[in-house]
Amino acid sequence: MTARTSDIEKAAGVLRTGGLVALPTETVDGLGANAEDPVAVARMATARLLAEHFWPGPLTLVLRRGPRVPLEATGGLETVAVRVPDHPVALALLAAFGGGVTAPSASRFGSISPHHRGPRPCRAWDAVDFVLVGPCEVGVEST
């Protein structure tokens, strides 16, 4: 641990009083707020700010489901995962369609997500009516 104990205590105090704290994690720096303080949470980077900064790209935001989103699209949950892919084919389809698309991974539950096209990448594709071709550059799921 590189932070001094006094710095940890100061950061905890800032959180207790509704402040925001930048903190290291095992991956990248994070932004922290008291999760039980709605005012502090509202001060954090909101979904809109995250979307403006990271979209299009491999960031999925989990948001409260709006009235236009059917429960069938969320698996019966009151939240929905939303993202805008940074892929020219996907962006062109979204623009041409003019609306949101429900698009889970093309794999079956518990299976590895496909990212290379072969004759039959996965059994889920047996049910599709059309396949748009294009490489999956990143090859791993979004954050």
Side-chain angles (χ1 to χ4, degrees), residues 6 42 49 139:
S6 60
L49 291 175

Side-chain angles (χ1 to χ4, degrees), residues 33-85:
N34 179 349
E36 296 179 12
D37 183 341
V39 175
V41 172
R43 288 187 55 214
M44 283 186 32
T46 64
R48 182 178 305 266
L49 291 175
L50 287 170
E52 288 172 359
H53 184 74
F54 292 106
W55 283 355
L59 173 71
T60 299
L61 298 173
V62 178
L63 306 170
R64 194 165 303 287
R65 178 184 73 86
R68 292 175 42 199
V69 179
L71 284 171
E72 292 81 1
T74 66
L77 301 175
E78 287 300 321
T79 57
V80 61
V82 182
R83 99 175 177 92
V84 178

Side-chain angles (χ1 to χ4, degrees), residues 3 12 16 38-39 47-48 54 74 76 90 103 107-108 117-118 126 138 142:
R16 285 185 200 101
V39 175
R48 182 178 305 266
F54 292 106
T74 66
S107 65
R108 299 267 186 196
R117 295 261 165 64
D126 293 345
V138 175
S142 65

Side-chain angles (χ1 to χ4, degrees), residues 8-139:
I8 300 289
E9 288 302 320
K10 181 176 181 177
V14 169
L15 291 173
R16 285 185 200 101
T17 60
L20 303 181
V21 173
L23 65 144
T25 73
E26 72 282 3
T27 55
V28 296
D29 285 343
L31 181 62
N34 179 349
E36 296 179 12
D37 183 341
V39 175
V41 172
R43 288 187 55 214
M44 283 186 32
T46 64
R48 182 178 305 266
L49 291 175
L50 287 170
E52 288 172 359
H53 184 74
F54 292 106
W55 283 355
L59 173 71
T60 299
L61 298 173
V62 178
L63 306 170
R64 194 165 303 287
R65 178 184 73 86
R68 292 175 42 199
V69 179
L71 284 171
E72 292 81 1
T74 66
L77 301 175
E78 287 300 321
T79 57
V80 61
V82 182
R83 99 175 177 92
V84 178
D86 189 13
H87 193 287
V89 175
L91 290 170
L93 174 61
L94 290 170
F97 180 65
V101 174
T102 299
S105 170
S107 65
R108 299 267 186 196
F109 179 75
S111 299
I112 297 172
S113 297
H115 56 85
H116 293 95
R117 295 261 165 64
R120 290 177 61 149
C122 70
R123 287 181 295 151
W125 288 31
D126 293 345
V128 303
D129 297 310
F130 189 79
V131 175
L132 279 172
V133 177
C136 297
E137 301 288 333
V138 175

